[in-house]
Amino acid sequence: MSSEHMQIGEVGARTELALRTIRHYETHGLVTPSARSQGGFRLYTRADVARLKALRRMQPLDFTLDQMRDLLDLTDRLDSDDHLTAGERKMLLRRVREYEQEAVWQVEKLRTRLAEAEEFAQTLRKRRERERERDQGQAVTA
C-alpha cells in the first residue's frame, strides 16, 4: 500500500464518519475507493477523504443521497479539466446556486432548532437550580 492510500479505518477517523456510513455512500455511488489492496481492502486517497468530508457536511442539511450525488457531480464537472462552454458553466453554476440557497435555508432551520434546544436546556438548568435552592432552604430550617 502506498503512503498516499488509506484504509477505511483511517478514513473514518479523518472524516469522523462511521465505517458503515462510508460503505453506505459507496453502495449508493457517492464515493468509490480509489484502489483495493491485494487483500481486497478499500483504499482511499486524500481526494476521496475530501469528498467524504463534503458528504459529512451535507448530512445535517437533510440533502437526499440523490441531491448529494448531483451536487458532487456538479462540482466535479466544474473542477474538471473538461472544456465547458460558457453556457454549460453558467447552467452548472445556476444549479450550484440552487443548492447553496437550499443549504442556507436548512442552516436557518438548524439555527432555529438549536435556539429552541438551548432555551429548553436553560429551562432545565433553572429548574434544577430552583430545586437545589429549595433543598438548601429546607436544610437550613430543619
Side-chain angles (χ1 to χ4, degrees):
M1 173 172 55
S2 78
S3 61
E4 64 185 54
H5 285 102
M6 296 163 264
Q7 289 188 357
I8 195 169
E10 183 179 352
V11 171
R14 286 180 182 222
T15 61
E16 299 177 358
L17 288 169
L19 305 186
R20 183 181 206 172
T21 301
I22 296 170
R23 290 184 191 107
H24 178 73
Y25 287 156
E26 179 185 351
T27 299
H28 290 279
L30 295 168
V31 68
T32 303
S34 291
R36 293 267 182 176
S37 70
Q38 288 181 342
F41 294 106
R42 295 165 174 86
L43 298 176
Y44 298 88
T45 62
R46 285 190 197 113
D48 299 326
V49 169
R51 188 174 184 90
L52 285 162
K53 285 181 178 180
L55 290 166
R56 188 192 75 219
R57 289 190 302 266
M58 287 184 228
Q59 285 177 336
L61 301 175
D62 288 338
F63 283 179
T64 66
L65 292 174
D66 286 338
Q67 288 173 314
M68 290 176 171
R69 184 181 307 102
D70 185 46
L71 182 53
L72 289 172
D73 289 345
L74 291 170
T75 57
D76 286 348
R77 285 192 61 204
L78 286 166
D79 292 343
S80 74
D81 289 336
D82 293 345
H83 299 290
L84 298 171
T85 67
E88 289 171 324
R89 181 168 297 284
K90 185 176 180 180
M91 184 270 303
L92 293 173
L93 289 171
R94 180 186 53 77
R95 290 183 55 211
V96 169
R97 190 171 24 260
E98 291 169 1
Y99 280 110
E100 176 191 10
Q101 291 168 344
E102 175 69 16
V104 168
W105 183 72
Q106 290 292 346
V107 166
E108 285 305 314
K109 282 178 45 179
L110 286 168
R111 281 192 179 111
T112 299
R113 290 184 65 200
L114 177 59
E116 291 169 351
E118 288 174 334
E119 183 180 323
F120 181 68
Q122 183 65 23
T123 300
L124 294 175
R125 190 175 309 111
K126 287 178 180 177
R127 179 175 182 86
R128 185 180 45 80
E129 289 170 359
R130 278 195 316 267
E131 291 299 319
R132 185 178 61 220
E133 290 170 3
R134 191 181 70 121
D135 290 346
Q136 288 174 349
Q138 287 178 352
V140 170
T141 60

